[in-house]
Amino acid sequence: MGLLPFKRGAPAAPPTTTKRLGDAAEDAALAHLRRAGLRLVARNYRTPGRGGGEVDLIMREPDGTLVFVEVRSRSRASHGGAGASITFAKRRRIIFAARHYLMRLPAPPPCRFDAVLVEDEIRWLRGAFMLE
């Protein structure tokens, strides 16, 4: 097994991971939504236990609408790009997590499901999918 070259005094660059890229896409989406006037309610909301769901961002519109946001990023447009990666199974897990979140509230507000696609540019799709 060969050793990688090491330059003394030069800090090693952190490896680029899918997690880091996803976090950067969420940060960009959050900044975009905040500039549009939405307020962050929760980030990476997960249901307890295995096999549940997760919502990347839960935001609130100025009119009180609760917005469950799925953030998707793709470096290449092959396989349909970021939007095509929101499969039926993914939507089902997001909806499951949203319902879990809403059950904690005394009276659920109006809500919708948006997607923010981070590719060459940021595209915000309001009402990207509905409860199924």
Side-chain angles (χ1 to χ4, degrees), residues 18-27 29-30 40-48 52-59 67-72 90 93-94 97-98 100-101 104:
T18 304
K19 169 84 168 103
R20 284 181 201 233
L21 294 173
D23 289 347
E26 277 186 21
D27 291 342
L30 178 59
L40 179 66
V41 175
R43 188 168 181 170
N44 300 117
Y45 177 80
R46 298 175 197 267
T47 59
E54 178 190 1
V55 178
D56 293 329
L57 302 170
I58 302 175
M59 308 291 292
V67 183
F68 298 96
V69 182
E70 175 65 8
V71 178
R72 302 303 282 179
K90 182 67 176 169
R93 287 192 301 272
I94 295 165
H100 184 271
Y101 182 85
R104 303 173 338 140

Side-chain angles (χ1 to χ4, degrees), residues 11-131:
T16 301
T17 65
T18 304
K19 169 84 168 103
R20 284 181 201 233
L21 294 173
D23 289 347
E26 277 186 21
D27 291 342
L30 178 59
H32 184 81
L33 295 171
R34 281 183 166 157
R35 282 191 300 273
L38 280 73
R39 183 178 54 84
L40 179 66
V41 175
R43 188 168 181 170
N44 300 117
Y45 177 80
R46 298 175 197 267
T47 59
R50 296 184 59 179
E54 178 190 1
V55 178
D56 293 329
L57 302 170
I58 302 175
M59 308 291 292
R60 188 167 306 271
E61 287 270 16
D63 70 1
T65 300
L66 204 57
V67 183
F68 298 96
V69 182
E70 175 65 8
V71 178
R72 302 303 282 179
S73 175
R74 291 289 179 269
S75 58
R76 287 184 238 127
S78 60
H79 305 293
S85 69
I86 307 174
T87 63
F88 174 77
K90 182 67 176 169
R91 290 190 308 267
R92 188 175 55 196
R93 287 192 301 272
I94 295 165
I95 290 167
F96 178 82
R99 284 183 170 147
H100 184 271
Y101 182 85
L102 290 169
M103 286 185 342
R104 303 173 338 140
L105 303 179
C111 61
R112 72 169 189 262
F113 294 91
D114 290 2
V116 175
L117 310 179
V118 181
E119 294 170 310
D120 294 332
E121 61 185 18
I122 296 176
R123 289 187 6 221
W124 177 16
L125 305 175
R126 291 175 179 90
F129 55 95
M130 307 293 283
L131 287 173

